[in-house]
Amino acid sequence: MKIFLAFFSENIYFSYLCTQILRDIKMKQTKNTASSIHCQCGVDLPEESRKDNIRNVRATGVEQHVCIFTGARPNFVKVAPIIRAIDCAEGISYQLIYAGCQDDPTIEPSLFDDLQMPRPDVFLGVDCENLNELTGRVMAAFERYLDNHATDTVIVVDDLASTMAAAIVTKKHGLRLAHIVAGTRSFDINMPKEINRLVIDGLSDLLFTAGMVSSSIATREGAEMNKIYMVGNILMDSLRFNHDRWQRPACLDGVEDGHYLVFTVNRKVLISDNEKLQQMMDVISRMAGDIPVIAPLRGKAYMLASEKSTFCVTEPLSYLEFGYLTLHAKGIITDSGNVAEEATFNHVPCITLNSYTEHIETVKQGTNVLVGENIEQLQESLRLLVEGEWKHGSLPDRWDGRTAERIVQTLLA
């Protein structure tokens, strides 16, 4: 709790708000308190957000209205299975909310068709770099949404600042909050996302975890056992659903399946360190030898990789193309936790350029190894990969592609 308060200590509004929320949690209040604060950020919801256009309304009547909140592109991959599971269920309806704008450049035009899911019902239209400002603006916009739409449960995913904002507003409205991918920790309090995780899990009524480690973390931090549900990794649902729908990308023309490496990098800290990134790319290029390295990149990383003869650099791929690329790779080098998790499901060797993972199962049971930014460890791992001496992995418990079914069953219980 002290961490939660300290995070916003420079902002009087947020400090006071956090104090009120923590008091509410202690008292286990289920309705709005008299001290509720209304953010006056001047954010207007789009016109369509004022329409109570609830999907999946059954002729027999609806027992539960669910709001599915998303804050960034990766969230859509995780909520698509939830939407399909709700569509197959009785007595539950949903609306899909996105914190960003309709023309968000990070969302490729084909994404929703690729995932076979609808576009969001409501775009809150929040777009700013400062995380404190973003949090306040999302809170204001999402509060307006809840004021105008009957909602019983709000589902949030992952650990973004916008996710935390939605969680806070949800509990100030006295609504049930469900957190998908709960209990993940880096144990580095200097990371903004770590604070987001602590806050969201602390507010949640339902904590849906990917494995026993995450469930144990939630328990140790004080969550009641009847709130924690080990449902598995929701990413696997999308992989299982799309297994026969992957599309071979053009960048693989002339390249044989199973005889190439994939390289991705997205962490700002790593991309901003030119020297370190150059060293890593040099090692990858040298150890790969005549094995092509397919690198879907953007910005500075794209330019640096373009200078390496072994690298076949391409613009970021669509969801279905990237799924094919990673499924048929000889190995993957990445700093993405999601890519590492998918590699474990696909039994593809994966080297993660990070010193931690939120899902340690990918290392203990899966095909993932952590090398951080250590050049020697990267080189040795690449040697094992290229020479075919990689460890054998297995699937963690409940990473079976049926996570969404378990979540919806719990919501209806």
Side-chain angles (χ1 to χ4, degrees), residues 22 166 171 181 194 204 206 225 245 267 283 314 381 406:
L22 292 173
K171 295 315 296 177
V181 198
E194 187 76 353
S204 294
L206 298 172
M225 290 295 294
R245 302 180 62 244
R267 279 196 302 139
V283 169
T314 180
S381 295
R406 299 183 185 105

Side-chain angles (χ1 to χ4, degrees), residues 71-275:
R73 180 191 181 278
N75 290 172
F76 291 114
V77 181
K78 297 179 181 181
V79 303
I82 302 293
I83 289 172
R84 286 193 292 271
I86 289 177
D87 283 339
C88 294
E90 298 285 344
I92 186 170
S93 64
Y94 74 90
Q95 276 202 319
L96 179 62
I97 313 301
Y98 180 51
C101 305
Q102 296 193 44
D103 59 351
D104 189 332
T106 66
I107 299 177
E108 67 272 23
S110 66
L111 179 64
F112 299 109
D113 289 337
D114 286 352
L115 294 172
Q116 293 198 337
M117 66 177 289
R119 289 177 60 82
D121 299 287
V122 176
F123 293 83
L124 298 185
V126 178
D127 181 21
C128 58
E129 291 293 327
N130 184 278
L131 293 181
N132 281 344
E133 180 184 354
L134 182 145
T135 302
R137 291 176 61 186
V138 171
M139 288 178 68
F142 191 55
E143 183 172 51
R144 289 190 181 185
Y145 169 83
L146 291 181
D147 285 341
N148 288 279
H149 296 81
T151 305
D152 300 302
T153 301
V154 175
I155 297 175
V156 296
V157 188
D158 288 335
D159 47 23
L160 303 171
S162 58
T163 311
M164 180 181 67
I168 292 172
V169 173
T170 298
K171 295 315 296 177
K172 293 299 290 184
H173 275 68
L175 304 176
R176 184 168 69 161
L177 177 65
H179 185 201
I180 298 176
V181 198
T184 59
R185 298 290 184 272
S186 67
F187 302 103
D188 181 0
I189 203 61
N190 294 315
M191 291 180 59
K193 283 188 176 182
E194 187 76 353
I195 297 172
N196 298 345
R197 296 164 184 155
L198 290 165
V199 173
I200 298 165
D201 281 353
L203 294 173
S204 294
D205 302 290
L206 298 172
L207 292 92
F208 294 118
T209 69
M212 285 300 298
V213 173
S214 296
S215 294
S216 298
I217 289 172
T219 301
R220 288 200 303 270
E221 292 179 357
E224 299 172 20
M225 290 295 294
N226 61 359
K227 291 184 176 182
I228 303 170
Y229 296 84
M230 194 186 85
V231 293
N233 192 323
I234 193 70
L235 274 178
M236 307 309 114
D237 291 43
S238 287
L239 294 186
R240 181 169 175 256
F241 177 80
N242 291 295
H243 186 270
D244 297 324
R245 302 180 62 244
W246 302 128
Q247 299 173 1
R248 200 173 199 270
C251 61
L252 287 181
D253 289 349
V255 180
E256 185 180 351
D257 285 357
H259 293 274
Y260 61 87
L261 302 177
V262 175
F263 173 68
T264 75
V265 60
N266 291 289
R267 279 196 302 139
K268 292 181 180 179
V269 174
L270 186 53
I271 292 175
S272 63
D273 190 340
N274 270 17
E275 183 179 355

